[in-house]
Amino acid sequence: MDAARTARDLDAWFAANARDLPWRRDHDPYHVLLAEFILQQTRMETGVRYFHELLRRFPTLRDLAGANERDVLAAWSGLGYYRRARNLHATARRIVRELGGRIPSDVDALEELPGIGPYTAGAIASIAFDRPATSLDGNQIRVLSRVLGLGRPSNKQGGRQVRAFAERLVATASPRRVNQALMDLGSTICLPDRPRCRACPLAASCRSAGRAWPPRRKEGPAPGERWTAELWARGGRVWLTPPRGKGLLGDLWLPPMRPARASDPSDGIRHVFSHKRWHVATLRRHGTPTGKGRWVSMEALRGLPHSALTRRLMAWALGGAPAGHAVWVTPRRATVRRAGTGTATGSRSARSKTRLR
DNA sequence: TAGGCGTGGGG
DNA sequence: TCCCCAAGCCT
């Protein structure tokens, strides 16, 4: 495959089709770093909203480093994968304390920082500093695997070939433009299931042009768990308990939760994570709650680290189900699939992860 | 290395 | 409704 030609085609396409994204206007290293943390496993539309909000609250790297972790988590609330927020904060502190406040332009130095892996290091080095580093995310891996005619990127041979070709590309043309062009191409043209090959600038040389990959093997649903949320509401406020410190949503404020008992009500909400699904029965409580906690209004919630689940449960407690979210109602004796049962046909990790090695 | 770790949108 | 995600990282 001709890397020079591919890079040239990508460059020309990008010049006319690049998406207008905030951190692309100045390539400020802090803006790029912030965006890359946010965009790990996150949709662009959602990411852009949080990018503006986090930048508003923490205008500079030093502001972020000087903030309380709790305030960073509060600003991150609703975005998910909350460890990213702690890693972002820890990385900002390390850069300010140990590196004089200067974000490294070197991939190896970047990868030393918490929350920065091979992809993010390469993305920062190339986009912020135009250094010749690869940034192989799911999009790039898919695009290059197709260009090279390798099929679904699962085998090690394909991984090495993709990496080698990506390295030739960033050595040939502006790494900043090549990497972002590949990302944009992957998210707008070279789509996972229905590639729009007629609109693709690489179609003439692509070894998979016009051909779709075989359908993915399906998997069963994520294992379900039943929980019960105990909801005290008083004067527009709901009783929340502080972060437990570990496990799923462990960094966040939630209403008191416990494993469901058979006698609990069957109405509630369904909250789906990437690896499990919770059925949360909503139990309205009266009287005075015991244990650690606070009465929190929707307004005050913004200052506390919390999950989308917290918002949904509070909305339920304060006035019924929020619009747009289905309330599930099951028969008294309904059963929920437990982990390890059901119709799973493959490993969960094999479904959506495209990794190289 | 496989599994843990969120969320809201789209087919 | 249900399934699939979407610019990964860490252990």
Side-chain angles (χ1 to χ4, degrees), chain A residues 139-160:
Chain A
N139 278 326
Q140 286 208 14
I141 293 168
R142 182 177 63 254
V143 171
L144 296 178
S145 291
R146 281 189 173 136
V147 166
L148 296 172
L150 298 176
R152 274 196 197 286
S154 55
N155 65 73
K156 301 175 181 185
Q157 196 63 26
R160 277 195 288 276

Side-chain angles (χ1 to χ4, degrees), chain A residues 35-267:
Chain A
E36 292 304 334
F37 267 87
I38 291 170
L39 290 170
Q40 289 168 7
Q41 298 288 285
T42 298
R43 294 182 168 283
M44 179 63 66
E45 298 72 23
T46 303
V48 169
R49 288 204 310 274
Y50 277 83
F51 175 83
H52 287 302
E53 176 60 15
L54 281 154
L55 203 54
R56 188 183 71 74
R57 293 211 205 181
F58 313 109
T60 70
L61 184 73
R62 288 182 187 278
D63 293 323
L64 179 60
N68 292 324
E69 183 183 276
R70 200 199 74 153
D71 292 331
V72 179
L73 272 167
W76 197 272
S77 292
L79 191 52
Y81 287 131
Y82 296 94
R83 190 164 55 176
R84 290 182 296 170
R86 298 198 312 192
N87 284 336
L88 170 66
H89 185 234
T91 278
R93 294 208 148 168
R94 289 256 312 259
I95 293 171
V96 166
R97 196 169 55 225
E98 299 173 15
L99 305 175
R102 297 179 65 86
I103 295 172
S105 60
D106 174 75
V107 168
D108 292 331
L110 284 163
E111 277 201 59
E112 293 291 311
L113 297 166
I116 298 185
Y119 163 75
T120 303
I124 294 171
S126 62
I127 297 173
F129 301 104
D130 210 18
R131 295 277 289 259
T134 61
S135 56
L136 290 163
D137 66 337
N139 278 326
Q140 286 208 14
I141 293 168
R142 182 177 63 254
V143 171
L144 296 178
S145 291
R146 281 189 173 136
V147 166
L148 296 172
L150 298 176
R152 274 196 197 286
S154 55
N155 65 73
K156 301 175 181 185
Q157 196 63 26
R160 277 195 288 276
Q161 290 176 249
V162 165
R163 186 178 302 281
F165 190 57
E167 284 169 358
R168 287 165 60 201
L169 287 177
V170 296
T172 298
S174 160
R176 170 183 288 159
R177 294 201 297 273
V178 164
N179 279 336
Q180 294 183 103
L182 284 169
M183 293 177 200
D184 283 14
L185 197 61
S187 60
T188 62
I189 305 286
C190 194
L191 302 172
D193 291 320
R194 290 171 177 266
R196 302 168 51 212
C197 298
R198 284 189 295 186
C200 181
L202 305 182
S205 58
C206 178
R207 291 186 183 155
S208 307
R211 288 188 283 138
W213 283 336
R216 266 179 285 264
R217 190 167 62 163
K218 295 200 173 180
E219 282 190 52
E225 293 178 3
R226 272 188 178 281
W227 292 84
T228 295
E230 305 189 56
L231 298 165
W232 282 266
R234 180 180 294 175
R237 298 189 296 173
V238 177
W239 181 255
L240 299 185
T241 52
R244 311 184 308 284
K246 55 179 165 184
L248 187 57
L249 306 182
D251 298 331
L252 312 174
W253 287 76
L254 283 164
M257 307 264 299
R258 58 170 171 75
R261 292 192 281 264
S263 58
D264 285 338
S266 59
D267 291 7

